[in-house]
Amino acid sequence: MSTHPPSLPDPARADRLRDALKRAAYTADGLLDLLGSPAYAALSRNETVPALRAARGTDPLSVLVRLFLLQQAVPYASAAAALDVRDCLDGGWLTRADGAQDGPGDGLGDTPGDGGPVRATVDIRPYGGGEDDDWWIVSDLGCAVGGASGIGRAPGVPASDLVLGVGGASTTLANITVRRPVRRALDLGTGSGVQALHAARHASHVTATDLNPRAVHFARLTLALSGVRGADVLGGSLFEPVGDRRFDLIVSNPPFVISPGARLTYRDGGMAGDDLCRTLVAGAADHLEEGGYCQLLANWLHVEGEDWKDRIAGWIAPTGCDAWVVQREVQDVTQYAELWLRDGGDHRGGPAEYAARYEAWLDEFERQGARAVGFGWITLRRSGSDRPVVRVEEWPHPVEQPLGPVIEQWFARQDFLRDHDDAALLASRFRLADSVVQEQVGVPGAEDPEHVVLRQNRGMRRATEVDTVVAGFAGVCDGTLAAGQILDAIAQLLDEDPVVLRDRTPASIRLLVEQGFLIPVD
């Protein structure tokens, strides 16, 4: 007996649909080939006209694009040339566009041309996970990328229960996640199952959870249609569904929006201020295996009279974990409220209703003493050290994705620095990272530069100013000589006291190692 909710597709029939999608090249690569880059990019802006023009053909791929991606009704015969319409109608993936009820003797099962037009019941979006993965994300109609234009388009579904597909936050989290092989991974607040898909590539077992029962079902649809077997998809709040189980990786794109109330389950945390994200951080430590990572996206308040960095560090301190927090964006409370009022479609209710809801957002921020809201990434690692490293920084500049390897290397370098005092540091060998270049800055025509800038062309793309001694040191580092030997040679060249140079340089070396300019060779 099927247990899928009424009006939603049955995951048990996903295999046959997946075969049809593959035969038609309804994949991320096939979609790009058909639509072209401009129309493909327009979809991410919720603009469908270019894609509709590109998919006017009668070939199976064009038909599937109109049916599942652009959510147009298509003639029965056209759909039947691309997939088994009867099976998709029976399984709930399709429905009759003319409102007729499907059933015995309706004439749809015998001759493909006998039926009326059909339309999709869900959005199915091709998604490439890399390494030749062909995946499909299943979400509510009109909600594949979220945003105000999607709210309310899924027929008969309350806005509070909507399940969104792939958006910018989804891809950001996927790109920053550490992708080492692990035994157990948890996707907390899975939504349509995007992070669970990625985790299935490098985790022996994946558990996904969500408070929204509709999201639990959509995640099962996504995993089944993408051919992922054996994942557990559970309903419940935060860590409640997994009890005291521990994981090697926890990822979460939670409903982090700081709003008055919890109107939209996919978006609003439902706790006061930024308490949801704080609670997630606190709970993660109790559910991480030794050496395990927790990575999440979060919003946090900038409270009057309090340094936001101290606020986030205060969340992390009780966990005993190493942590790297990066703030990517800050909005004042008015900008923030306007962004999410548009996202929720509140501007459609008329000026009076919009003004009332805007006032409610500002009242909530006033109660919290908030003047702005920050957005960023939080990565925790259960290192087991009695001297955890917590780095909280602002970095709004462009970065090169994916950053997962960069983040993993950052934590490895913290282990190195923690285990090496200054004497051990000077006995170690380093090499200048491949992506680093030196830029000399000074007065034109001067014999020596006033200072030197080290600049990364990859990863975080940092730049840092160093003096000529540290620049010379970094330039010589090729992994052959110990740091102390290089400093002694520089001291002799500059006619300086080598003891003084050895005393004052380790702090600079530590900074360059931490930020990835210098890589320990040992």
Side-chain angles (χ1 to χ4, degrees):
M1 180 178 178
S2 174
T3 58
H4 67 282
S7 79
L8 282 179
D10 185 352
R13 296 176 183 263
D15 289 349
R16 292 187 289 275
L17 177 56
R18 180 173 66 256
D19 291 342
L21 300 181
K22 284 187 173 182
R23 283 195 305 271
Y26 187 68
T27 62
D29 289 340
L31 200 61
L32 183 59
D33 289 342
L34 174 68
L35 302 183
S37 297
Y40 193 86
L43 285 174
S44 67
R45 304 189 299 270
N46 289 318
E47 297 291 347
T48 59
V49 172
L52 281 167
R53 291 173 61 86
R56 287 178 292 189
T58 58
D59 59 286
L61 177 56
S62 295
V63 171
L64 292 176
V65 168
R66 295 201 303 275
L67 189 62
F68 288 119
L69 189 69
L70 303 175
Q71 296 151 22
Q72 303 288 306
V74 303
Y76 186 102
S78 298
L83 42 72
D84 186 337
V85 177
R86 163 57 63 191
D87 192 50
C88 289
L89 285 167
D90 290 345
W93 297 95
L94 297 178
T95 189
R96 295 286 301 276
D98 56 12
Q101 295 297 311
D102 230 11
D106 61 8
L108 290 178
D110 300 322
T111 305
D114 287 346
V118 296
R119 64 169 63 249
T121 60
V122 291
D123 184 294
I124 300 178
R125 186 158 301 236
Y127 181 64
E131 298 185 9
D132 300 322
D133 286 315
D134 286 326
W135 295 334
W136 292 270
I137 309 300
V138 187
S139 63
D140 270 315
L141 295 173
C143 296
V145 294
S149 61
I151 297 303
R153 284 180 57 189
V157 182
S160 60
D161 294 337
L162 287 173
V163 179
L164 273 59
V166 180
S170 303
T171 54
T172 294
L173 180 57
N175 278 324
I176 68 171
T177 299
V178 173
R179 297 296 177 195
R180 58 181 186 143
V182 296
R183 288 184 301 164
R184 292 185 293 271
L186 170 64
D187 175 11
L188 193 152
T190 188
S192 55
V194 177
Q195 307 308 322
L197 272 182
H198 283 281
R201 277 181 45 196
H202 63 102
S204 300
H205 186 267
V206 175
T207 301
T209 68
D210 205 287
L211 176 65
N212 183 358
R214 190 174 179 85
V216 169
H217 189 77
F218 270 102
R220 288 173 180 156
L221 291 173
T222 291
L223 293 168
L225 191 57
S226 300
V228 174
R229 310 293 184 204
D232 290 332
V233 187
L234 309 174
S237 177
L238 298 175
F239 293 99
E240 175 188 289
V242 299
D244 58 359
R245 276 183 277 173
R246 291 179 179 266
F247 300 87
D248 305 292
L249 173 68
I250 300 171
V251 292
S252 184
N253 177 16
F256 52 68
V257 175
I258 301 170
S259 61
R263 291 178 53 232
L264 304 175
T265 305
Y266 73 86
R267 187 195 75 174
D268 302 324
M271 296 185 182
D274 48 21
D275 279 357
L276 176 77
C277 293
R278 179 186 57 79
T279 301
L280 267 175
V281 168
D286 295 330
H287 290 85
L288 283 177
E289 294 281 10
E290 201 70 25
Y293 286 86
C294 172
Q295 298 185 265
L296 65 142
L297 306 182
N299 276 181
W300 43 75
L301 294 174
H302 286 224
V303 177
E304 195 71 41
E306 181 181 12
D307 189 317
W308 73 269
K309 294 181 180 180
D310 293 339
R311 180 182 181 82
I312 307 306
W315 293 1
I316 296 165
T319 69
C321 292
D322 290 341
W324 185 14
V325 181
V326 180
Q327 179 170 273
R328 295 289 290 158
E329 185 179 358
V330 182
Q331 291 184 319
D332 68 52
V333 292
T334 60
Q335 293 174 310
Y336 188 83
E338 290 161 12
L339 169 67
W340 295 111
L341 285 167
R342 288 193 301 271
D343 172 86
D346 296 271
H347 58 296
R348 299 192 191 124
E353 183 177 345
Y354 177 79
R357 289 189 171 173
Y358 199 155
E359 287 276 6
W361 282 71
L362 296 184
D363 287 345
E364 179 64 21
F365 287 130
E366 187 174 345
R367 281 192 292 271
Q368 298 288 336
R371 54 183 175 78
V373 179
F375 168 81
W377 322 320
I378 298 176
T379 300
L380 308 175
R381 186 189 59 160
R382 190 181 178 92
S383 65
S385 172
D386 58 358
R387 294 181 293 132
V389 176
V390 177
R391 183 75 66 243
V392 183
E393 65 173 315
E394 183 167 17
W395 190 256
H397 311 294
V399 298
E400 182 190 44
Q401 296 283 17
L403 275 177
V406 173
I407 291 174
E408 185 174 17
Q409 292 159 11
W410 185 90
F411 281 92
R413 294 195 301 273
Q414 306 318 304
D415 287 340
F416 172 85
L417 292 171
R418 185 162 42 208
D419 294 341
H420 287 68
D421 60 16
D422 286 356
L425 195 71
L426 293 176
S428 300
R429 295 174 297 137
F430 303 91
R431 66 175 178 82
L432 192 65
D434 295 337
S435 65
V436 176
V437 296
Q438 292 193 9
E439 300 174 356
Q440 295 187 353
V441 181
V443 179
E447 183 176 348
D448 296 314
E450 290 183 353
H451 59 267
V452 176
V453 173
L454 300 181
R455 189 178 303 278
Q456 299 169 345
N457 291 322
R458 308 292 299 272
M460 292 293 286
R461 292 177 171 161
R462 296 185 187 275
T464 188
E465 182 180 322
V466 296
D467 61 25
T468 53
V469 170
V470 176
F473 172 85
V476 173
C477 284
D478 61 3
T480 58
L481 295 176
Q485 293 174 298
I486 296 175
L487 289 177
D488 290 344
I490 292 175
Q492 185 175 5
L493 182 66
L494 299 178
D495 195 26
E496 290 196 23
D497 186 340
V499 175
V500 173
L501 212 56
R502 280 174 171 259
D503 284 344
R504 70 178 176 89
T505 309
S508 297
I509 297 175
R510 288 185 181 278
L511 178 64
L512 294 183
V513 171
E514 191 221 334
Q515 295 188 344
F517 291 96
L518 292 178
I519 308 301
V521 172
D522 299 327

